């Protein structure tokens, strides 16, 4: 049985190592997970051909998540509400779409978001999933900030949030700031190190060897932190369970991505 991740580019993806470690751990020796580099104009026709080539399902990443939802025969309420899919499953001649980013995020949070305030930085694909997750979790106020303000306003209208960069109990970085240049973190994001202290949970979707500057500062200030790698593992585990019907071996998956990070 074959699995994979469709993206463009996809060379950087850690999903194959993570999923192949999980498949080996589960003893699914005939299953393989591979990278599927697909430019946008080939996405839909290639995905439709995958079941005949022995594929059970695929993860979908930038820039195909919206196209994945559009081509599916049916989709979960979560994928429809987010407006994007990261998991496709091929079953009985049909394509099913799901989005495990939201549940992956809530699983990784290790604290209830209910009645807390939350600030989401960014208005791209990952911000949509996180805003949906926080809305579902019952936060008392959902704030969104983005460099391009019109995009923040559009998402705020859609998810019942306000456009604001006011510090909050839960702060989630859904921008790519900090990925390549850690020194940009406190220059390009509207937050101060002093806002990230005890009682605050700080999540960075971005992951880097040794942790991001945002998380390292927050941790030093006494905040709870959630690394993007944890969310990668949690969303991957949910996808794997959908395809195999087996409980995902989280620890083996975590070790596989940590090995690459080292
Ligand atoms: P998108 O390309 O959809 O969105 C990028 C966001 O980053 C936009 O809001 C953009 O703002 C903002 N941004 C980019 N550069 C800057 C800057 N210099 N200053 C301020 N804002 C900036 O990306 P995604 O939402 O899919 O992903 C965001 C990050 O999260 C990526 O680094 C990705 O690797 C990571 N990620 C991690 C996952 C995980 O499992 N841990 C899952 C998905 C993503 P603007 O609108 O103004 O351009």
């Amino acid at each position: 049985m074959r699995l994979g991740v469709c993206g463009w580019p996809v060379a950087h993806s850690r999903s194959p190592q993570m999923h192949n470690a999980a498949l080996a751990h589960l003893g699914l020796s005939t299953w393989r997970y591979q990278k599927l580099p697909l430019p946008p104009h080939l996405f839909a026709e290639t995905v439709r051909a995958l079941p005949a080539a022995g594929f059970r399902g695929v993860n979908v990443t930038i820039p195909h998540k919206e196209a994945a939802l559009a081509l599916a025969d049916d989709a979960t309420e979560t994928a429809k509400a987010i407006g994007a899919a990261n998991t496709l499953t091929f079953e009985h001649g049909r394509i099913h779409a799901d989005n495990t980013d939201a549940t992956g995020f809530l699983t990784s949070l290790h604290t209830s978001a209910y009645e807390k305030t939350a600030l989401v930085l960014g208005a791209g694909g990952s911000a949509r999933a996180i805003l949906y997750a926080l809305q579902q979790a019952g936060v008392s106020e959902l704030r969104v900030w983005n460099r391009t303000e019109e995009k923040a306003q559009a998402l705020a209208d859609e998810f019942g949030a306000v456009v604001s960069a006011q510090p909050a109990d839960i702060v989630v970085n859904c921008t790519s700031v900090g990925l390549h240049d850690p020194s940009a973190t406190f220059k390009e994001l509207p937050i101060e190190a002093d806002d990230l202290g005890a009682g605050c949970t700080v999540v960075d979707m971005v992951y880097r060897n040794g942790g991001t500057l945002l998380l390292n500062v927050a941790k030093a200030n006494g905040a709870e932190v959630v690394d993007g790698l944890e969310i990668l593992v949690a969303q991957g585990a949910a996808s794997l369970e959908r395809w195999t019907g087996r409980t995902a071996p989280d620890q083996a998956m975590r070790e596989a991505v940590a090995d690459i990070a080292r």
Side-chain angles (χ1 to χ4, degrees):
M1 201 66 88
R2 300 171 76 183
L3 300 168
V5 54
C6 305
W8 188 256
V10 76
H12 64 282
S13 176
R14 297 181 186 195
S15 292
Q17 287 88 337
M18 179 174 76
H19 281 282
N20 284 322
L23 293 169
H25 191 92
L26 292 172
L28 297 172
S29 58
T30 59
W31 292 59
R32 286 284 178 281
Y33 186 109
Q34 66 189 85
K35 286 177 191 167
L36 295 164
L38 286 181
H41 68 284
L42 292 180
F43 177 73
E45 92 182 80
T46 307
V47 168
R48 286 196 187 96
L50 290 177
F55 277 81
R56 163 69 173 147
V58 285
N59 283 130
V60 179
T61 187
I62 283 179
H64 302 310
K65 289 186 179 182
E66 288 171 14
L69 178 64
L71 74 73
D73 298 303
D74 54 63
T76 59
E77 290 307 314
T78 301
K80 285 187 215 166
I82 294 170
N86 76 331
T87 305
L88 295 176
T89 306
F90 309 126
E91 216 160 41
H92 312 305
R94 294 173 67 80
I95 300 177
H96 302 267
D98 196 0
N99 193 314
T100 64
D101 288 332
T103 43
F105 165 75
L106 289 177
T107 306
S108 308
L109 207 49
H110 298 308
T111 181
S112 169
Y114 184 68
E115 290 292 318
K116 304 249 177 78
T117 57
L119 169 62
V120 174
L121 304 170
S126 64
R128 293 187 69 84
I130 303 310
L131 283 164
Y132 172 78
L134 289 165
Q135 180 199 50
Q136 292 296 302
V139 292
S140 61
E141 186 171 290
L142 195 47
R143 301 170 190 150
V144 58
W145 169 90
N146 192 50
R147 176 179 62 179
T148 310
E149 195 179 333
E150 308 86 79
K151 282 160 75 181
Q153 189 61 61
L155 276 196
D157 294 345
E158 196 173 335
F159 291 99
V162 291
V163 176
S164 164
Q166 198 189 327
D169 302 323
I170 299 170
V171 176
V172 190
N173 177 32
C174 294
T175 74
S176 48
V177 173
L179 182 60
H180 302 296
D181 175 14
S183 71
T185 305
F186 289 100
K187 287 184 208 147
E188 297 185 23
L189 297 179
I191 42 171
E192 307 281 337
D194 289 349
D195 298 331
L196 312 170
C200 183
T201 299
V202 183
V203 185
D204 202 342
M205 295 300 281
V206 170
Y207 44 82
R208 277 174 70 86
N209 294 354
T212 62
L213 180 66
L214 178 67
L215 291 196
N216 291 340
V217 166
K219 202 172 181 177
N221 285 358
E224 292 289 323
V225 299
V226 179
D227 194 289
L229 278 177
E230 269 301 307
I231 297 167
L232 180 74
V233 169
Q235 61 79 32
S239 298
L240 193 76
E241 289 179 356
R242 175 71 178 83
W243 298 320
T244 64
R246 303 275 301 274
T247 302
D250 300 35
Q251 191 52 29
M253 297 172 82
R254 197 171 286 121
E255 282 165 16
V257 288
D259 271 355
I260 312 164
R262 244 175 241 129

